[in-house]
Amino acid sequence: MAQQRESRWVKAVVAAIVRPVLGAVTKAEWQGQENVPREGGVIIAANHLSMADPLTISHYLYVAGRRWPTFTAKEGVFRIPLVGAVARSTGQIPVKRGSTDAVKALKEAEAALTRDGSSVIFYPEGTCTRDPDLWPMAARTGVARLALSTGAPVVPLAHWGEQHLLRYGTAKLRPFPRKRVQIVAGPPVDLSAYRGKPMTATVLRDATAEIMRRITELQADLRGEVPPAEPYDMKRVRQASSGDSGTPEAAEAAPEVPEAGAAGGAGVQPAASADGGRAPAAANGAGEQDSDGERKPRG
């Protein structure tokens, strides 16, 4: 029987505060909520645009998907007065980034999925995208590992618009005028070709690439644009800029632990792309914005 991870009254208070605020600063357009299972453990795998999107995704999942959102969050968040108490009371999972204790977070995420029947949100990229046009990047393999080890379905989720509310790399919030935020969930990713196989680096990379392909396709539909042929790969860009060709054999053998970004993410191994990442632009975004935060094509 599923256990209750969260305090009901704290959930009610948080929802009562957050929902009106998001309603005041965003114009939400939601699709695909029928693809979010109403009960049972489920992995929500999402792209990461902005430090604001944990809130918009939570809003979507809670209202449209009728599920309470559970994230992995930096352990430091739990040390902040009041914020930490709320995080613990709402079932969030602490992660000590860069520590062997991060393995405990992976185990707790497994328990949340299999024992508690929770909906756990992960950012497979591990951080906000650095792609110059804000497409999803090459991802880490932690989500695929969790999916294959637990059997939990992976629902891909894509969103677009939060970058106009709070652009990554800046603390400048632009709440007005209200920003259009689009979110769509797709059917669970078909990972049947990988289930039951030894979780080798190749299997995990291929399963991760399939998850990210579905997220990218969903975002392309939202944007009405064609995504790049290969995802931006931060590791390859860093190696190219430093002149280091890297040692893929060592990377394949490295142990895997979850990595928490602003509010989520898992894994350490990036899903390899056929060639390197594209050079980042000076600004994290493409085109210009009109007065309502909408993107205009480059001239």
Side-chain angles (χ1 to χ4, degrees):
M1 182 177 178
Q3 296 187 23
Q4 181 69 35
R5 292 177 54 84
E6 313 91 16
S7 164
R8 286 187 174 88
W9 76 268
V10 174
K11 286 169 55 176
V13 171
V14 170
I17 294 172
V18 174
R19 289 183 62 185
V21 171
L22 288 176
V25 300
T26 65
K27 295 182 288 187
E29 297 181 9
W30 293 340
Q31 305 173 53
Q33 50 263 43
E34 69 277 3
N35 293 312
V36 179
R38 294 293 184 261
E39 58 184 19
V42 58
I43 294 170
I44 307 295
N47 62 298
H48 202 357
L49 285 174
S50 160
M51 303 302 274
D53 59 52
L55 290 175
T56 57
I57 292 173
S58 296
H59 191 202
Y60 171 87
L61 196 62
Y62 180 69
V63 177
R66 300 178 184 275
R67 297 297 303 265
W68 183 257
T70 300
F71 284 93
T72 53
K74 291 179 181 179
E75 192 267 344
V77 170
F78 291 78
R79 294 197 297 266
I80 301 173
L82 184 60
V83 173
V86 170
R88 282 187 289 272
S89 297
T90 55
Q92 309 311 307
I93 301 171
V95 178
K96 289 186 179 180
R97 193 170 186 176
S99 167
T100 55
D101 285 347
V103 176
K104 295 179 181 178
L106 187 62
K107 293 296 184 183
E108 186 170 347
E110 290 178 351
L113 290 167
T114 59
R115 182 194 66 199
D116 305 334
S118 300
S119 54
V120 186
I121 304 166
F122 289 97
Y123 293 117
E125 299 158 281
T127 186
C128 287
T129 182
R130 305 301 199 274
D131 181 276
D133 293 324
L134 303 183
W135 290 103
M137 301 186 296
R140 302 164 185 264
T141 59
V143 171
R145 180 182 292 274
L146 269 177
L148 296 177
S149 65
T150 64
V154 179
V155 171
L157 184 145
H159 53 99
W160 184 246
E162 293 93 344
Q163 72 277 12
H164 302 314
L165 178 64
L166 180 62
R167 185 177 295 276
Y168 176 76
T170 178
K172 184 179 180 181
L173 184 66
R174 300 178 59 198
F176 304 110
R178 292 167 67 206
K179 303 301 185 290
R180 180 190 186 198
V181 174
Q182 301 167 276
I183 302 180
V184 58
V189 181
D190 183 5
L191 298 177
S192 58
Y194 310 104
R195 298 195 187 278
K197 291 186 176 181
M199 283 195 282
T200 63
T202 298
V203 165
L204 292 174
R205 282 201 308 269
D206 289 349
T208 299
E210 182 63 22
I211 293 169
M212 294 308 298
R213 182 183 68 81
R214 292 292 298 119
I215 295 173
T216 303
E217 288 175 350
L218 290 171
Q219 196 196 64
D221 289 341
L222 290 179
R223 298 170 61 168
E225 301 174 13
V226 178
E230 298 294 340
Y232 182 87
D233 191 326
M234 285 203 307
K235 181 180 178 182
R236 288 177 181 268
V237 169
R238 286 196 299 265
Q239 289 175 346
S241 63
S242 66
D244 181 7
S245 61
T247 55
E249 293 82 2
E252 295 290 356
E256 186 164 66
V257 296
E259 175 180 285
V268 293
Q269 298 293 351
S273 58
D275 58 33
R278 289 165 288 131
N284 201 8
E288 300 174 347
Q289 296 176 20
D290 62 21
S291 60
D292 193 34
E294 298 301 321
R295 199 163 138 251
K296 298 186 294 185
R298 298 182 189 274

